[in-house]
Structure formats: structure tokens, C-alpha cells
Amino acid sequence: MIHRQVTPVWGANNSGQGMATTILITRPEPAASGFAEKLRNRLGGDARIVISPILRIEHLPVSLDNIAAGDTLILTSAQALPALTGKAKGQTCYCVGPATTDAAKRAGLTAIDTGGTAEHLARRLLADRPSGNLLYLRGEHVASDLAKILSEAGIETEERVVYRQLPQALDPTALSLLEGRNPLVIPLFSPRSARLFLEAAPGPAPLHIAAISRNTAETVPAGRAASIHIAETPTAEAMLDLIEDLASGPNRVESGNTAK
């Protein structure tokens, strides 16, 4: 269940003084820095943005030398692309979301944006039923068992784990913010990263969660956040829209918009 708004992001403390809001980004690098730059472009150079990844990416030495030009690739994250360095031959690549699609195009693939979720991707593949071998390049942790879903539907899909998403501790700056009492806007991009952040986040700071999906929002325990908001679509662009909305002042935030 998604919890209703309790405290406006730009609310006041008990002394009546306004409290500055900080946006704490916990995505892995380099996605964290790229997202922060886009936020600054929208919010201005004075925006208070802190980066402290809760995960780090470890790329694995996986052999992909047997990929043929006619094979079809599947990507749910741009983090898989380094495994294809020097091996991309213009293959068709079905991608989750515009960011992964754009990155795949830059890597020399014929990329197709299927929408913002693994479910969207599965539906598109089931509709298109591409010929040739299908290879799903993924991380160690995934929200959906896409290869199983496709194989059980009659589209035999091989998968390779080409990177790991390893937990790491929040840095001292992030911990200090979380132990304070000023409000924090927390973008959360997956159920797993949400759980890891909430396990690592101490202290009384009011958390205003910007969740990329309802599944991500539902990992937040009752009473753990001052407010929870869901992006219109499960994409980085929609998350930017949501955070800009939250940072624009109390008029929108006080409306209790928790089901965007």
C-alpha cells in the first residue's frame, strides 16, 4: 500500500524556519552522476544534490565471441553493454526504456525501445517473435525472470550474467544527512536498491520517496517515509519530471500526489 503525504518537502520545522531540501541519489555510477547532471540542468546550479551509491557494478569477464550477426540481443540495462565492446555487429537489440535504447544505439546496435519495464519487453518479443538466437545479457539480480518467461512461451532464450550489482555502504555525507532533521528527496530505481537503502538509512530525516514504479514504492514499510510518490512511467525521464515537481515547492507536494 502506498502511504499518503505527511509532511511537505518544503515544510517548516517546529521553530517555524524553512528547511532546505536535499536530493540524495543512490544509483550506481556512472548512472548516478548522469542523473544528477540532468537534475541540475532542470533545477539550476544551486540545487542540493548528493550522490552516494548503494550499489556498485562489477563487470564480469564473460566470453561473447560466438555472437552472430543474425542473433537478437535483449538488454534491461545499459550496464550490460561493456560486455559487447568490440563484439557488436549491428545486431537487433530489444531494450527496456529510452536510456538503454540510446546507449545501445551508440554501441552500434539496432536498438528497439520496448517500453519501461521487463513486462513491456516480454510482450513486444512475444508479438514480434524474432528469428535466430536470442541472448539476454543481464545483471546477477533481476526483478523478472525474463528468459524463463520467454522460453516457456516458446521463444527459446539464452541468458548470460555479464555484471554484478554489489551492495556498498552509504558514505559519511549521506549518513550525516539521514541522521539530521532536514527533508530529503530519495529517488529509488528498483525494489532491490530500495530495500538496500532503507536497511542502510538510519536516523530521523524525513524521507520523500520518488519511486520509479509501484513495485519499488511498495518495498517501503508503513511509516518509514514522510511521503511516497510514483513516476508516471518507469523511466529516468519520468523520474526527472517527478523530482522537479517535488522540488518546485509545496503547492504540488502538499496535494498528496502519491500515485503519479
Side-chain angles (χ1 to χ4, degrees):
M1 180 177 180
I2 307 304
H3 317 300
R4 286 287 172 183
Q5 174 82 24
V6 176
T7 305
V9 171
W10 292 91
N13 60 22
N14 290 336
S15 67
Q17 298 297 313
M19 296 189 295
T21 301
T22 298
I23 301 164
L24 176 57
I25 298 174
T26 61
R27 298 188 83 179
E29 291 287 16
S33 292
F35 191 76
E37 181 180 0
K38 290 178 180 179
L39 266 180
R40 288 192 181 95
N41 289 339
R42 289 189 178 217
L43 302 178
D46 294 333
R48 296 186 62 189
I49 301 172
V50 172
I51 296 173
S52 179
I54 197 71
L55 291 167
R56 66 178 178 86
I57 302 300
E58 178 185 86
H59 296 283
L60 302 176
V62 179
S63 174
L64 299 176
D65 293 334
N66 61 341
I67 295 178
D71 291 346
T72 297
L73 303 178
I74 302 170
L75 298 180
T76 49
S77 171
Q79 297 287 4
L81 285 167
L84 287 168
T85 301
K87 301 178 178 68
K89 306 177 181 70
Q91 290 94 342
T92 297
C93 180
Y94 285 74
C95 303
V96 167
T100 302
T101 304
D102 290 344
K105 288 178 179 178
R106 291 194 297 272
L109 299 167
T110 302
I112 299 170
D113 183 359
T114 63
T117 68
E119 289 73 19
H120 291 141
L121 190 153
R123 285 200 295 270
R124 177 64 182 269
L125 284 164
L126 289 170
D128 289 0
R129 293 189 172 268
S131 59
N133 298 319
L134 267 68
L135 178 60
Y136 175 27
L137 303 179
R138 67 173 182 86
E140 186 175 39
H141 297 274
V142 290
S144 300
D145 192 342
L146 187 61
K148 180 180 179 182
I149 292 169
L150 294 171
S151 295
E152 289 181 347
I155 302 178
E156 192 64 34
T157 303
E158 183 184 354
E159 60 182 347
R160 304 275 183 88
V161 175
V162 296
Y163 65 94
R164 295 190 182 112
Q165 310 100 312
L166 301 175
Q168 67 177 28
L170 295 170
D171 68 21
T173 299
L175 292 172
S176 177
L177 289 168
L178 290 160
E179 289 166 355
R181 295 193 176 275
N182 284 356
L184 300 173
V185 173
I186 312 292
L188 295 176
F189 288 83
S190 73
R192 180 169 182 253
S193 62
R195 285 190 291 270
L196 289 171
F197 168 76
L198 292 165
E199 289 169 2
L207 305 181
H208 297 272
I209 303 297
I212 197 167
S213 67
R214 183 164 294 275
N215 285 345
T216 299
E218 287 176 347
T219 65
V220 183
R224 185 65 181 84
S227 68
I228 305 175
H229 308 261
I230 303 173
E232 290 281 1
T233 59
T235 63
E237 194 67 24
M239 287 287 279
L240 291 168
D241 291 341
L242 174 56
I243 296 165
E244 183 179 13
D245 204 31
L246 291 175
S248 67
N251 292 335
R252 292 174 180 172
V253 173
E254 287 177 348
S255 68
N257 184 9
T258 59
K260 286 193 71 175

